[in-house]
């Protein structure tokens, strides 16, 4: 059966929208914009403390965006926690899966550390590293570890808010020191970026794994049924 | 040593959010402390704009176009001041409202929302605005669902999804702007923008996304259930501040970014939707059975008035008349912020005491809770637009300008809306007073009633009688 | 700008627009939460596609890092919002039981 709204009116409307979007996009990319921000960004990469341009943008030129983005992650997790406790989780894995997880998790953590370090020079960085850490947590949760390898609630709270705190504090301290908010002094840029990225990696990894559990960590991490 | 209040207003609530996340047992004390510091830093920004003019901070020291800047002009400073006074009152109220378990969840999300609000009012970068919009939307939806009831979760899920759709539309517009003009800073985009299909499409996408978030008719469907089912302090913040932030951004883009591409058709479309919102929202408020639902529909109507300003602004040539009109619109938005927050806080008090908020069964509330009822009355005066409220003054300027321009149909809409508002406010008050008086104290719970009362007083007397400073403040800006 | 760059930008950007439209259609037409959520994410993927296409400057030229950073930020935001929406949905399902 043909429903007029769903099958005729909306598709026709969307085709019109698509035409408009396509036309605007064509005009936008063929217009006389030159290099956009590419040239100025690439020219300043050597002053940013890292040599990977994307990391330069994320953690130096537009570090303030990244600070708010850590806040977004935290807000989502706190929202999930406010809805109730996590489920009881999956049943413990049998030996094959368990053995595989035991091998993969350390490998993922190691890869996360590598990603974090290499982000200064090549594709990689805190987000990729955090995603790997988070996937290690998801793997543990799937194999029946109730808290996905995450620490107790008190420590977990510190861990998930660490990205916001370290980034905001770095910004404020630099401002108090007279450099300006999130303005890294030339010699320190590399290390401050590494500091923020390390905190961010831990926070992102913990947040992703905790979000996967879908609720507040329970008081007794290894035992008991809760509703 | 050098302290820049602009980043402070955004960062202090973030540090506060960290503190209350880490030590949930002290959430209330730490939260209130962060609230006071945040409000102080934001109000100092407004004071500095008042005395020294436009403030700007280049974060990261790169400067535009590479870095992100924060900027406070008269328009941002005015909204910033209103938002932070209301947020402080909401915080004081929340200190008494949330206990134990719910306090742990409320405070960190609330401070994150506050940070997003300040960040949004101060942002000068189109992509950074997207991030603040998302932070605002996510923390608002999470706060709205704090009661945990099925209705609240369902309503806020819908709110979250609608908000995401709006953000996506906005981001697509930003992508087009970056593709065409190669910059993201509002000032630089405003310099580069030229009338044409790209600018026109980007404007439609961005303003379209924002009116979805501002709940402009007919995209208002998500607002009443989301605002009516949230805990009272959250309802106050959502109705007074969060939808207002979307309106502020639409106005900012309209005035500063898309000024060269404006056309009367778009302005009239926004005005017509605003008019429909005024009539429909007021009508539904009149028919509402619950006090908080009434307040939520009244927000739909009040947002409508703000959008009626767009065709009036578009039809008025630059000059004194236009500045006057703009100040009136901002005054209307600010007064509604104070009044609606006061209304919701008082309604929450009534709901908590009576155990319900059914309007027909409110009998005796005036006797039991004189301060809360008085606050509802004061807020009502501002919502209707009676003298001496700020709304009265603002509507007067708007009506006058509509007459001068010969656009009498907007006049009719505003009159009808005012009459309907009077009807729904008097309906509440008549129910609240319909029982034999019994002696009670005027103030029953100072921590929750005084903020509501204070907001009502500001809306009715503060902004009405002393609106002059707003005109002075708004002169600090790039628009004319 | 060479033809090859423009061709790639239009191909990828055009696919991005197509994804946005498919996502929008799905969002408007389908009721269930999960489908709406997938639809939103599809739209997001489309917008990110467009941004990546804008950043492309040819095989031998380093891409514009700014849109890439914007996409990374956007992805994290999208993941966060999706996680919260799923938790809301789960909560509603639990209430149904």
């Amino acid at each position: 059966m043909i429903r007029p709204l769903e099958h005729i009116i909306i598709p026709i409307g969307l085709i019109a929208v698509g035409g408009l979007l396509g036309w605007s996009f064509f005009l936008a990319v063929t217009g006389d914009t030159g290099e956009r921000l590419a040239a100025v960004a690439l020219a300043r990469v050597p002053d940013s403390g890292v040599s990977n341009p994307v990391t330069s943008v994320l953690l130096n030129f537009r570090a303030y965006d990244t600070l708010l983005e850590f806040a977004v992650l935290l807000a989502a997790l706190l929202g999930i926690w406010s809805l109730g406790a996590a489920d009881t989780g999956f049943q413990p894995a049998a030996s094959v899966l368990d053995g595989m997880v035991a091998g993969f998790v350390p490998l993922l953590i190691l890869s996360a550390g590598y990603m974090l370090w290499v982000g200064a020079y090549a594709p990689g960085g805190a987000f990729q590293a955090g995603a790997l850490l988070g996937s290690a947590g998801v793997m543990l949760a799937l194999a029946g570890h109730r808290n996905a390898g995450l620490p107790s609630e008190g420590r977990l709270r510190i861990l998930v808010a660490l990205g916001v705190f370290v980034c905001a504090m770095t910004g404020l301290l630099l401002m108090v020191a007279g450099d300006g908010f999130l303005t890294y002094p030339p010699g320190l840029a590399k290390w401050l970026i590494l500091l923020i990225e390390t905190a961010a990696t831990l926070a992102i990894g913990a947040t992703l794994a905790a979000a996967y559990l879908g609720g507040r960590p329970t008081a007794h991490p290894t035992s008991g049924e809760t509703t | 040593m050098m302290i820049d209040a602009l980043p402070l207003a955004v960062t202090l609530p973030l540090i506060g959010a960290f503190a209350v996340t880490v030590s949930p047992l002290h959430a209330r004390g730490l939260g209130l402390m962060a609230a006071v510091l945040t409000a102080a830093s934001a109000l100092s920004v407004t004071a500095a704009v008042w005395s020294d003019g436009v403030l700007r901070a280049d974060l990261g020291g790169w400067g535009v176009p590479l870095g992100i800047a924060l900027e406070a002009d008269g328009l941002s400073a005015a909204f910033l001041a209103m938002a932070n006074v209301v947020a402080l009152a909401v915080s004081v109220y929340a200190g008494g409202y949330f206990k134990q378990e719910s306090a742990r969840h409320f405070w960190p999300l609330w401070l994150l929302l506050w940070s997003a609000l300040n960040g949004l009012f101060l942002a000068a970068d189109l992509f950074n605005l997207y991030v603040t919009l998302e932070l605002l939307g996510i923390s608002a939806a999470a706060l709205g669902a704090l009661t945990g009831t099925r209705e609240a979760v369902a309503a806020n899920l819908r709110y979250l999804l609608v908000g995401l759709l709006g953000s996506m539309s906005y981001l697509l517009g930003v992508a087009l702007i970056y593709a065409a003009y190669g910059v993201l800073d509002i000032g630089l985009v405003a310099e580069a923008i030229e009338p044409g299909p790209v600018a026109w499409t980007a404007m439609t996408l961005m303003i379209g996304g924002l009116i979805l978030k501002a709940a402009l008719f007919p995209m208002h469907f998500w607002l009443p259930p989301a605002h009516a089912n949230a805990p009272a302090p959250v309802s106050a913040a959502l109705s007074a501040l969060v939808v207002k932030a979307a309106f502020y951004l639409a106005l900012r883009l309209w005035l500063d970014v898309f000024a060269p591409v404006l056309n009367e058709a778009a302005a009239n479309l926004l005005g017509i939707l605003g008019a429909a919102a005024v009539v429909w929202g007021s009508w539904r408020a009149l028919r509402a059975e619950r006090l908080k639902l009434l307040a939520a529909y009244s927000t739909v109507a009040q947002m409508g008035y703000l959008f009626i300003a767009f065709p009036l602004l578009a039809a008025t040539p630059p000059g004194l008349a236009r500045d006057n009109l703009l100040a009136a619109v901002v005054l209307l938005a600010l007064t509604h912020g104070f009044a609606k927050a006061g209304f919701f806080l008082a309604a929450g008090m009534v709901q908590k005491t009576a155990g319900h908020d059914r309007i027909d069964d409110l009998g005796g509330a005036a006797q039991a809770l004189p301060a809360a009822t008085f606050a509802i009355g004061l807020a009502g005066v501002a919502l209707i637009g009676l003298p001496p409220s700020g709304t009265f003054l603002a509507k007067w300027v708007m009506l006058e300008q509509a007459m001068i321009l010969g656009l009498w149909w907007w006049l009719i809409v505003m009159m009808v809306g005012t009459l309907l508002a009077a009807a729904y406010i008097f309906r509440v008050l008549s129910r609240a007073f319909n029982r034999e008086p019994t002696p009670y104290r005027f103030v029953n719970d100072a921590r929750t009633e005084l903020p509501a009362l204070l907001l009502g007083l500001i809306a009715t007397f503060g902004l009405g009688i002393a609106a002059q400073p707003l005109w002075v403040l708004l002169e600090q800006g790039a628009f004319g | 700008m060479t033809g090859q760059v423009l061709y790639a930008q239009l191909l990828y950007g055009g696919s991005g627009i197509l994804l946005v439209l498919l996502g929008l259609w799905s969002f408007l037409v389908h009721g269930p939460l999960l489908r709406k959520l997938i639809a939103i994410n599809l739209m997001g993927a489309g917008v990110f596609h467009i941004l990546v296409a804008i950043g492309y400057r040819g095989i031998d030229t380093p891409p514009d890092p700014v849109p890439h950073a914007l996409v990374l930020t956007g992805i994290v935001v999208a993941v966060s919002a999706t996680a919260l929406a799923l938790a809301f949905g789960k909560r509603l399902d639990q209430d149904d039981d």
Side-chain angles (χ1 to χ4, degrees), chain B residues 11-378:
Chain B
T11 321
L12 282 177
L14 287 181
I15 303 273
F18 169 80
V20 291
T21 305
V22 168
S23 52
L25 289 178
H26 307 105
R28 203 180 75 186
L30 289 170
L32 281 171
M33 199 155 71
V36 170
L37 290 174
T38 304
S41 65
L43 291 176
S44 80
V45 169
T46 303
V49 173
W50 172 273
S51 56
D52 309 335
V54 178
L55 287 184
R56 196 176 163 93
D58 283 311
L59 306 182
W62 299 98
V64 290
L66 190 54
I68 301 175
L70 293 179
E71 193 172 66
D73 62 3
L75 185 65
S76 11
F79 274 88
L80 193 70
M82 183 275 283
N84 280 271
V85 171
V86 170
L88 190 61
V90 167
S91 302
V92 173
Y93 183 93
Y97 187 91
F98 291 106
K99 307 282 178 220
Q100 300 304 322
E101 184 61 23
S102 53
R104 311 174 153 213
H105 297 306
F106 170 78
W107 284 104
L109 285 166
W110 168 237
L111 289 168
L112 289 172
L113 181 135
W114 198 338
S115 167
L117 277 174
N118 287 353
L120 194 147
F121 291 136
L122 295 175
D125 182 283
L126 291 177
F127 184 80
N128 184 249
L129 278 163
Y130 163 75
V131 186
T132 61
L133 275 174
E134 290 288 48
L135 182 57
L136 191 65
I138 288 178
S139 47
L143 280 169
L146 269 189
T147 50
T149 60
R150 189 183 167 78
E151 294 76 44
V153 175
N156 280 284
L157 175 55
R158 190 151 57 155
Y159 169 43
L160 183 65
L161 288 175
V162 169
L164 281 173
L165 189 63
S167 311
M168 274 305 151
S169 176
Y170 175 88
L171 184 60
L172 192 52
V174 175
L176 277 182
I177 291 219
Y178 183 72
Y181 306 112
V183 282
L184 292 164
D185 179 76
I186 286 185
L188 296 177
V189 172
E191 279 170 27
I193 206 159
E194 287 163 7
V198 181
W200 198 83
T201 309
M203 176 176 84
T204 311
L205 287 167
M206 292 167 81
I207 303 236
L210 289 170
I211 62 175
L212 200 57
K213 285 172 173 283
L216 181 61
F217 183 89
M219 273 78 85
H220 67 285
F221 55 89
W222 57 265
L223 185 145
H227 288 196
N229 287 302
V234 176
S235 303
L238 292 179
S239 248
L241 307 179
V242 175
V243 283
K244 219 54 81 8
F247 167 76
Y248 157 83
L249 187 49
L251 186 65
R252 160 76 66 201
L253 295 179
W254 187 265
L255 294 170
D256 283 5
V257 178
F258 294 116
V261 262
L262 297 185
N263 58 53
E264 229 157 272
N268 280 328
L269 180 64
L270 288 177
I272 289 167
L273 295 180
V278 167
V279 175
W280 177 248
S282 304
W283 175 248
R284 289 301 301 263
L286 188 60
R287 303 291 308 271
E289 286 174 0
R290 289 173 47 209
L291 194 53
K292 286 175 76 180
L293 201 59
L294 179 149
Y297 272 112
S298 144
T299 299
V300 172
Q302 299 284 339
M303 293 305 289
Y305 286 114
L306 299 179
F307 282 95
I308 291 181
F310 284 88
L312 296 180
L313 277 172
T316 313
L320 191 61
R322 195 166 180 277
D323 292 349
N324 246 333
L325 185 62
L326 184 62
V329 176
V330 175
L331 178 63
L332 191 61
L334 301 192
T335 315
H336 176 252
F338 287 114
K340 191 48 64 64
F343 193 105
F344 262 119
L345 293 185
M349 190 65 201
V350 170
Q351 186 177 30
K352 216 168 180 175
T353 311
H356 69 83
D357 67 337
R358 289 185 303 279
I359 296 167
D360 286 339
D361 304 332
L362 281 182
Q367 284 78 39
L369 294 167
T373 311
F374 189 45
I376 290 183
L378 281 176

Side-chain angles (χ1 to χ4, degrees), chain B residues 364-415:
Chain B
Q367 284 78 39
L369 294 167
T373 311
F374 189 45
I376 290 183
L378 281 176
V381 167
L383 291 178
I384 300 169
L386 297 177
S389 66
T391 321
F392 171 75
L393 193 59
K395 278 188 184 172
W396 184 261
V397 174
M398 283 171 75
L399 289 173
E400 196 181 43
Q401 191 58 26
M403 292 244 262
I404 292 171
L405 295 168
L407 305 172
W408 48 269
W409 47 90
W410 302 123
L411 207 124
I412 295 177
V413 173
M414 293 179 69
M415 292 308 218

Side-chain angles (χ1 to χ4, degrees), chain B residues 425-437:
Chain B
I425 292 298
F426 286 129
R427 186 174 149 237
V428 173
L429 293 178
S430 71
R431 292 290 191 281
F433 281 106
N434 74 351
R435 214 172 64 178
E436 287 302 305

